[in-house]
Amino acid sequence: MGENVLEATPNPASPWVFGVQELARAAGTMREESGVFRAPADLSLALIGVEEGSDVETDLRLEAVHEGVLATGTATVHVTGECGRCLDPIVYDLDVDLQELFFSKDRIVQGEDDEEQFLIENDYIDLEPVLRDAVVTNLPFQPVCREDCQGLCAQCGVRLDENPGHHHDVVDPRWAALQGLTNDTE
Ligand SMILES: [Zn+2]
Ligand SMILES: [Zn+2]
């Protein structure tokens, strides 16, 4: 049994955990799992992400292959967040592809230390980390409502898109004092 494989006991109560007992015993067979499943926690970055418990439209195909079970499919998540420049809400749907090979314990390929290998555990496979990886890597680190969003004025907070040419005539108080001196000498 490999030491560098992902060892976590799948929780059958999770909508992302699928029993594959009958698949693992009949190479060449496949099963489809489609539906609206609840989003797990932690599908997020700082400013944007998928709310836990929100709907995820999912189409999965589980195939019995030589090494174990191959899971492929798509998921659509509802992303919410805020623009990093103007703080406006951002809402959109994100489609991600899911693909992962879950190894039977007796089929693990030894020696590939760098590769994270997923295992069939107690006849279950857990797609939650696969979904998390697919979603989080497709979220923007710097979400913006529009590419050309001008954001907010750093001094007063007005929306610069709606106030073209907006600026403040800021005079450094020390400079103002100097100007006063100059005026006196004239
Ligand atoms: Zn914005
Ligand atoms: Zn301003």
PDB file of all heavy atoms in Angstrom, residues 8-36:
ATOM      1  N   ALA A   8      -8.020   9.203   2.618  1.00  0.00           N
ATOM      2  CA  ALA A   8      -9.107   9.810   3.378  1.00  0.00           C
ATOM      3  C   ALA A   8     -10.327   8.922   3.187  1.00  0.00           C
ATOM      4  O   ALA A   8     -10.606   8.476   2.083  1.00  0.00           O
ATOM      5  CB  ALA A   8      -9.382  11.210   2.879  1.00  0.00           C
ATOM      6  N   THR A   9     -11.001   8.662   4.249  1.00  0.00           N
ATOM      7  CA  THR A   9     -12.165   7.790   4.144  1.00  0.00           C
ATOM      8  C   THR A   9     -13.348   8.596   3.633  1.00  0.00           C
ATOM      9  O   THR A   9     -13.757   9.559   4.271  1.00  0.00           O
ATOM     10  CB  THR A   9     -12.510   7.184   5.510  1.00  0.00           C
ATOM     11  OG1 THR A   9     -11.316   6.616   6.042  1.00  0.00           O
ATOM     12  CG2 THR A   9     -13.570   6.110   5.372  1.00  0.00           C
ATOM     13  N   PRO A  10     -13.867   8.249   2.463  1.00  0.00           N
ATOM     14  CA  PRO A  10     -14.992   9.013   1.936  1.00  0.00           C
ATOM     15  C   PRO A  10     -16.221   8.884   2.838  1.00  0.00           C
ATOM     16  O   PRO A  10     -16.481   7.824   3.386  1.00  0.00           O
ATOM     17  CB  PRO A  10     -15.254   8.366   0.573  1.00  0.00           C
ATOM     18  CG  PRO A  10     -14.026   7.598   0.252  1.00  0.00           C
ATOM     19  CD  PRO A  10     -13.450   7.173   1.573  1.00  0.00           C
ATOM     20  N   ASN A  11     -16.918   9.975   2.973  1.00  0.00           N
ATOM     21  CA  ASN A  11     -18.143   9.984   3.764  1.00  0.00           C
ATOM     22  C   ASN A  11     -19.326   9.727   2.830  1.00  0.00           C
ATOM     23  O   ASN A  11     -19.655  10.572   2.006  1.00  0.00           O
ATOM     24  CB  ASN A  11     -18.275  11.349   4.446  1.00  0.00           C
ATOM     25  CG  ASN A  11     -19.626  11.526   5.098  1.00  0.00           C
ATOM     26  OD1 ASN A  11     -20.377  10.561   5.263  1.00  0.00           O
ATOM     27  ND2 ASN A  11     -19.930  12.744   5.480  1.00  0.00           N
ATOM     28  N   PRO A  12     -19.964   8.568   2.941  1.00  0.00           N
ATOM     29  CA  PRO A  12     -21.046   8.231   1.997  1.00  0.00           C
ATOM     30  C   PRO A  12     -22.208   9.216   2.026  1.00  0.00           C
ATOM     31  O   PRO A  12     -23.013   9.249   1.096  1.00  0.00           O
ATOM     32  CB  PRO A  12     -21.496   6.846   2.457  1.00  0.00           C
ATOM     33  CG  PRO A  12     -20.368   6.312   3.270  1.00  0.00           C
ATOM     34  CD  PRO A  12     -19.703   7.504   3.907  1.00  0.00           C
ATOM     35  N   ALA A  13     -22.268  10.049   3.084  1.00  0.00           N
ATOM     36  CA  ALA A  13     -23.365  11.024   3.157  1.00  0.00           C
ATOM     37  C   ALA A  13     -23.110  12.211   2.226  1.00  0.00           C
ATOM     38  O   ALA A  13     -24.025  12.967   1.907  1.00  0.00           O
ATOM     39  CB  ALA A  13     -23.535  11.510   4.592  1.00  0.00           C
ATOM     40  N   SER A  14     -21.871  12.396   1.776  1.00  0.00           N
ATOM     41  CA  SER A  14     -21.564  13.509   0.884  1.00  0.00           C
ATOM     42  C   SER A  14     -22.160  13.247  -0.493  1.00  0.00           C
ATOM     43  O   SER A  14     -22.082  12.130  -1.006  1.00  0.00           O
ATOM     44  CB  SER A  14     -20.048  13.680   0.756  1.00  0.00           C
ATOM     45  OG  SER A  14     -19.741  14.451  -0.399  1.00  0.00           O
ATOM     46  N   PRO A  15     -22.746  14.285  -1.121  1.00  0.00           N
ATOM     47  CA  PRO A  15     -23.281  14.079  -2.479  1.00  0.00           C
ATOM     48  C   PRO A  15     -22.180  13.821  -3.496  1.00  0.00           C
ATOM     49  O   PRO A  15     -22.463  13.399  -4.618  1.00  0.00           O
ATOM     50  CB  PRO A  15     -24.001  15.392  -2.776  1.00  0.00           C
ATOM     51  CG  PRO A  15     -23.417  16.396  -1.858  1.00  0.00           C
ATOM     52  CD  PRO A  15     -22.971  15.646  -0.620  1.00  0.00           C
ATOM     53  N   TRP A  16     -20.921  14.050  -3.110  1.00  0.00           N
ATOM     54  CA  TRP A  16     -19.803  13.891  -4.044  1.00  0.00           C
ATOM     55  C   TRP A  16     -19.113  12.540  -3.898  1.00  0.00           C
ATOM     56  O   TRP A  16     -18.100  12.287  -4.524  1.00  0.00           O
ATOM     57  CB  TRP A  16     -18.806  15.047  -3.852  1.00  0.00           C
ATOM     58  CG  TRP A  16     -19.489  16.343  -4.118  1.00  0.00           C
ATOM     59  CD1 TRP A  16     -20.027  17.196  -3.204  1.00  0.00           C
ATOM     60  CD2 TRP A  16     -19.808  16.880  -5.396  1.00  0.00           C
ATOM     61  NE1 TRP A  16     -20.645  18.249  -3.832  1.00  0.00           N
ATOM     62  CE2 TRP A  16     -20.521  18.075  -5.178  1.00  0.00           C
ATOM     63  CE3 TRP A  16     -19.554  16.473  -6.717  1.00  0.00           C
ATOM     64  CZ2 TRP A  16     -20.990  18.863  -6.235  1.00  0.00           C
ATOM     65  CZ3 TRP A  16     -20.015  17.263  -7.754  1.00  0.00           C
ATOM     66  CH2 TRP A  16     -20.718  18.449  -7.509  1.00  0.00           C
ATOM     67  N   VAL A  17     -19.673  11.703  -3.032  1.00  0.00           N
ATOM     68  CA  VAL A  17     -19.106  10.370  -2.823  1.00  0.00           C
ATOM     69  C   VAL A  17     -20.014   9.343  -3.507  1.00  0.00           C
ATOM     70  O   VAL A  17     -21.239   9.359  -3.326  1.00  0.00           O
ATOM     71  CB  VAL A  17     -18.971  10.074  -1.310  1.00  0.00           C
ATOM     72  CG1 VAL A  17     -18.633   8.606  -1.078  1.00  0.00           C
ATOM     73  CG2 VAL A  17     -17.884  10.964  -0.703  1.00  0.00           C
ATOM     74  N   PHE A  18     -19.410   8.486  -4.315  1.00  0.00           N
ATOM     75  CA  PHE A  18     -20.187   7.516  -5.082  1.00  0.00           C
ATOM     76  C   PHE A  18     -19.679   6.101  -4.806  1.00  0.00           C
ATOM     77  O   PHE A  18     -18.464   5.868  -4.779  1.00  0.00           O
ATOM     78  CB  PHE A  18     -20.069   7.806  -6.579  1.00  0.00           C
ATOM     79  CG  PHE A  18     -20.546   9.179  -6.951  1.00  0.00           C
ATOM     80  CD1 PHE A  18     -19.656  10.245  -6.997  1.00  0.00           C
ATOM     81  CD2 PHE A  18     -21.893   9.414  -7.214  1.00  0.00           C
ATOM     82  CE1 PHE A  18     -20.100  11.522  -7.320  1.00  0.00           C
ATOM     83  CE2 PHE A  18     -22.336  10.693  -7.540  1.00  0.00           C
ATOM     84  CZ  PHE A  18     -21.438  11.745  -7.583  1.00  0.00           C
ATOM     85  N   GLY A  19     -20.616   5.221  -4.600  1.00  0.00           N
ATOM     86  CA  GLY A  19     -20.262   3.822  -4.436  1.00  0.00           C
ATOM     87  C   GLY A  19     -19.946   3.214  -5.795  1.00  0.00           C
ATOM     88  O   GLY A  19     -20.669   3.418  -6.762  1.00  0.00           O
ATOM     89  N   VAL A  20     -18.827   2.490  -5.879  1.00  0.00           N
ATOM     90  CA  VAL A  20     -18.409   1.932  -7.165  1.00  0.00           C
ATOM     91  C   VAL A  20     -18.158   0.428  -7.063  1.00  0.00           C
ATOM     92  O   VAL A  20     -17.459  -0.149  -7.885  1.00  0.00           O
ATOM     93  CB  VAL A  20     -17.152   2.644  -7.702  1.00  0.00           C
ATOM     94  CG1 VAL A  20     -17.478   4.090  -8.028  1.00  0.00           C
ATOM     95  CG2 VAL A  20     -15.993   2.574  -6.723  1.00  0.00           C
ATOM     96  N   GLN A  21     -18.754  -0.188  -6.049  1.00  0.00           N
ATOM     97  CA  GLN A  21     -18.506  -1.611  -5.821  1.00  0.00           C
ATOM     98  C   GLN A  21     -18.794  -2.459  -7.057  1.00  0.00           C
ATOM     99  O   GLN A  21     -17.957  -3.228  -7.504  1.00  0.00           O
ATOM    100  CB  GLN A  21     -19.376  -2.089  -4.662  1.00  0.00           C
ATOM    101  CG  GLN A  21     -19.046  -3.492  -4.231  1.00  0.00           C
ATOM    102  CD  GLN A  21     -19.782  -3.856  -2.948  1.00  0.00           C
ATOM    103  OE1 GLN A  21     -20.807  -3.272  -2.625  1.00  0.00           O
ATOM    104  NE2 GLN A  21     -19.250  -4.813  -2.220  1.00  0.00           N
ATOM    105  N   GLU A  22     -19.979  -2.253  -7.633  1.00  0.00           N
ATOM    106  CA  GLU A  22     -20.355  -3.113  -8.770  1.00  0.00           C
ATOM    107  C   GLU A  22     -19.554  -2.768 -10.016  1.00  0.00           C
ATOM    108  O   GLU A  22     -19.231  -3.626 -10.825  1.00  0.00           O
ATOM    109  CB  GLU A  22     -21.860  -3.053  -9.020  1.00  0.00           C
ATOM    110  CG  GLU A  22     -22.414  -1.853  -9.756  1.00  0.00           C
ATOM    111  CD  GLU A  22     -22.304  -0.535  -8.992  1.00  0.00           C
ATOM    112  OE1 GLU A  22     -21.902  -0.531  -7.811  1.00  0.00           O
ATOM    113  OE2 GLU A  22     -22.641   0.497  -9.577  1.00  0.00           O
ATOM    114  N   LEU A  23     -19.132  -1.454 -10.138  1.00  0.00           N
ATOM    115  CA  LEU A  23     -18.305  -1.052 -11.277  1.00  0.00           C
ATOM    116  C   LEU A  23     -16.932  -1.714 -11.203  1.00  0.00           C
ATOM    117  O   LEU A  23     -16.425  -2.228 -12.195  1.00  0.00           O
ATOM    118  CB  LEU A  23     -18.091   0.467 -11.260  1.00  0.00           C
ATOM    119  CG  LEU A  23     -19.090   1.362 -11.972  1.00  0.00           C
ATOM    120  CD1 LEU A  23     -18.635   2.801 -11.837  1.00  0.00           C
ATOM    121  CD2 LEU A  23     -19.236   0.981 -13.424  1.00  0.00           C
ATOM    122  N   ALA A  24     -16.360  -1.672 -10.000  1.00  0.00           N
ATOM    123  CA  ALA A  24     -15.000  -2.183  -9.841  1.00  0.00           C
ATOM    124  C   ALA A  24     -14.922  -3.665 -10.178  1.00  0.00           C
ATOM    125  O   ALA A  24     -13.853  -4.188 -10.446  1.00  0.00           O
ATOM    126  CB  ALA A  24     -14.519  -1.939  -8.409  1.00  0.00           C
ATOM    127  N   ARG A  25     -16.061  -4.335 -10.172  1.00  0.00           N
ATOM    128  CA  ARG A  25     -16.039  -5.784 -10.423  1.00  0.00           C
ATOM    129  C   ARG A  25     -16.418  -6.135 -11.842  1.00  0.00           C
ATOM    130  O   ARG A  25     -16.485  -7.311 -12.191  1.00  0.00           O
ATOM    131  CB  ARG A  25     -17.015  -6.474  -9.464  1.00  0.00           C
ATOM    132  CG  ARG A  25     -16.431  -6.450  -8.075  1.00  0.00           C
ATOM    133  CD  ARG A  25     -17.237  -7.182  -7.089  1.00  0.00           C
ATOM    134  NE  ARG A  25     -16.648  -6.977  -5.754  1.00  0.00           N
ATOM    135  CZ  ARG A  25     -17.312  -7.045  -4.636  1.00  0.00           C
ATOM    136  NH1 ARG A  25     -18.594  -7.334  -4.654  1.00  0.00           N
ATOM    137  NH2 ARG A  25     -16.714  -6.841  -3.497  1.00  0.00           N
ATOM    138  N   ALA A  26     -16.709  -5.128 -12.662  1.00  0.00           N
ATOM    139  CA  ALA A  26     -17.132  -5.428 -14.025  1.00  0.00           C
ATOM    140  C   ALA A  26     -16.466  -4.459 -14.974  1.00  0.00           C
ATOM    141  O   ALA A  26     -17.042  -3.446 -15.369  1.00  0.00           O
ATOM    142  CB  ALA A  26     -18.656  -5.332 -14.140  1.00  0.00           C
ATOM    143  N   ALA A  27     -15.206  -4.738 -15.324  1.00  0.00           N
ATOM    144  CA  ALA A  27     -14.441  -3.869 -16.209  1.00  0.00           C
ATOM    145  C   ALA A  27     -15.213  -3.626 -17.501  1.00  0.00           C
ATOM    146  O   ALA A  27     -15.856  -4.533 -18.036  1.00  0.00           O
ATOM    147  CB  ALA A  27     -13.082  -4.481 -16.518  1.00  0.00           C
ATOM    148  N   GLY A  28     -15.150  -2.390 -17.981  1.00  0.00           N
ATOM    149  CA  GLY A  28     -15.824  -2.062 -19.223  1.00  0.00           C
ATOM    150  C   GLY A  28     -17.221  -1.516 -19.036  1.00  0.00           C
ATOM    151  O   GLY A  28     -17.811  -1.006 -19.985  1.00  0.00           O
ATOM    152  N   THR A  29     -17.741  -1.589 -17.849  1.00  0.00           N
ATOM    153  CA  THR A  29     -19.087  -1.052 -17.638  1.00  0.00           C
ATOM    154  C   THR A  29     -18.987   0.417 -17.225  1.00  0.00           C
ATOM    155  O   THR A  29     -17.935   0.902 -16.819  1.00  0.00           O
ATOM    156  CB  THR A  29     -19.850  -1.831 -16.550  1.00  0.00           C
ATOM    157  OG1 THR A  29     -19.105  -1.772 -15.344  1.00  0.00           O
ATOM    158  CG2 THR A  29     -20.061  -3.267 -16.974  1.00  0.00           C
ATOM    159  N   MET A  30     -20.080   1.104 -17.320  1.00  0.00           N
ATOM    160  CA  MET A  30     -20.090   2.493 -16.908  1.00  0.00           C
ATOM    161  C   MET A  30     -21.455   2.888 -16.373  1.00  0.00           C
ATOM    162  O   MET A  30     -22.452   2.226 -16.620  1.00  0.00           O
ATOM    163  CB  MET A  30     -19.617   3.377 -18.049  1.00  0.00           C
ATOM    164  CG  MET A  30     -20.592   3.675 -19.121  1.00  0.00           C
ATOM    165  SD  MET A  30     -21.376   5.253 -18.860  1.00  0.00           S
ATOM    166  CE  MET A  30     -21.754   5.643 -20.549  1.00  0.00           C
ATOM    167  N   ARG A  31     -21.449   3.965 -15.601  1.00  0.00           N
ATOM    168  CA  ARG A  31     -22.676   4.435 -14.974  1.00  0.00           C
ATOM    169  C   ARG A  31     -22.692   5.953 -15.048  1.00  0.00           C
ATOM    170  O   ARG A  31     -21.638   6.584 -14.946  1.00  0.00           O
ATOM    171  CB  ARG A  31     -22.669   3.991 -13.513  1.00  0.00           C
ATOM    172  CG  ARG A  31     -23.939   4.290 -12.778  1.00  0.00           C
ATOM    173  CD  ARG A  31     -23.927   3.598 -11.423  1.00  0.00           C
ATOM    174  NE  ARG A  31     -23.617   4.517 -10.349  1.00  0.00           N
ATOM    175  CZ  ARG A  31     -22.715   4.275  -9.390  1.00  0.00           C
ATOM    176  NH1 ARG A  31     -22.023   3.170  -9.389  1.00  0.00           N
ATOM    177  NH2 ARG A  31     -22.504   5.160  -8.455  1.00  0.00           N
ATOM    178  N   GLU A  32     -23.879   6.514 -15.240  1.00  0.00           N
ATOM    179  CA  GLU A  32     -23.975   7.970 -15.254  1.00  0.00           C
ATOM    180  C   GLU A  32     -24.593   8.455 -13.960  1.00  0.00           C
ATOM    181  O   GLU A  32     -25.503   7.825 -13.422  1.00  0.00           O
ATOM    182  CB  GLU A  32     -24.771   8.431 -16.474  1.00  0.00           C
ATOM    183  CG  GLU A  32     -23.954   8.223 -17.739  1.00  0.00           C
ATOM    184  CD  GLU A  32     -24.629   8.761 -18.992  1.00  0.00           C
ATOM    185  OE1 GLU A  32     -25.836   9.036 -18.943  1.00  0.00           O
ATOM    186  OE2 GLU A  32     -23.923   8.881 -20.008  1.00  0.00           O
ATOM    187  N   GLU A  33     -24.056   9.551 -13.475  1.00  0.00           N
ATOM    188  CA  GLU A  33     -24.580  10.180 -12.259  1.00  0.00           C
ATOM    189  C   GLU A  33     -24.809  11.640 -12.590  1.00  0.00           C
ATOM    190  O   GLU A  33     -23.861  12.399 -12.734  1.00  0.00           O
ATOM    191  CB  GLU A  33     -23.579  10.076 -11.100  1.00  0.00           C
ATOM    192  CG  GLU A  33     -23.365   8.681 -10.566  1.00  0.00           C
ATOM    193  CD  GLU A  33     -24.436   8.282  -9.558  1.00  0.00           C
ATOM    194  OE1 GLU A  33     -25.314   9.124  -9.243  1.00  0.00           O
ATOM    195  OE2 GLU A  33     -24.389   7.127  -9.091  1.00  0.00           O
ATOM    196  N   SER A  34     -26.051  12.014 -12.735  1.00  0.00           N
ATOM    197  CA  SER A  34     -26.345  13.401 -13.048  1.00  0.00           C
ATOM    198  C   SER A  34     -27.337  13.932 -12.042  1.00  0.00           C
ATOM    199  O   SER A  34     -28.156  13.192 -11.514  1.00  0.00           O
ATOM    200  CB  SER A  34     -26.936  13.513 -14.455  1.00  0.00           C
ATOM    201  OG  SER A  34     -25.983  13.075 -15.390  1.00  0.00           O
ATOM    202  N   GLY A  35     -27.235  15.211 -11.776  1.00  0.00           N
ATOM    203  CA  GLY A  35     -28.178  15.811 -10.852  1.00  0.00           C
ATOM    204  C   GLY A  35     -27.680  17.148 -10.366  1.00  0.00           C
ATOM    205  O   GLY A  35     -26.664  17.662 -10.817  1.00  0.00           O
ATOM    206  N   VAL A  36     -28.450  17.709  -9.449  1.00  0.00           N
ATOM    207  CA  VAL A  36     -28.078  18.966  -8.818  1.00  0.00           C
ATOM    208  C   VAL A  36     -27.616  18.620  -7.411  1.00  0.00           C
ATOM    209  O   VAL A  36     -28.400  18.168  -6.588  1.00  0.00           O
ATOM    210  CB  VAL A  36     -29.265  19.949  -8.785  1.00  0.00           C
ATOM    211  CG1 VAL A  36     -28.859  21.244  -8.085  1.00  0.00           C
ATOM    212  CG2 VAL A  36     -29.751  20.242 -10.203  1.00  0.00           C
TER     213      VAL A  36
END
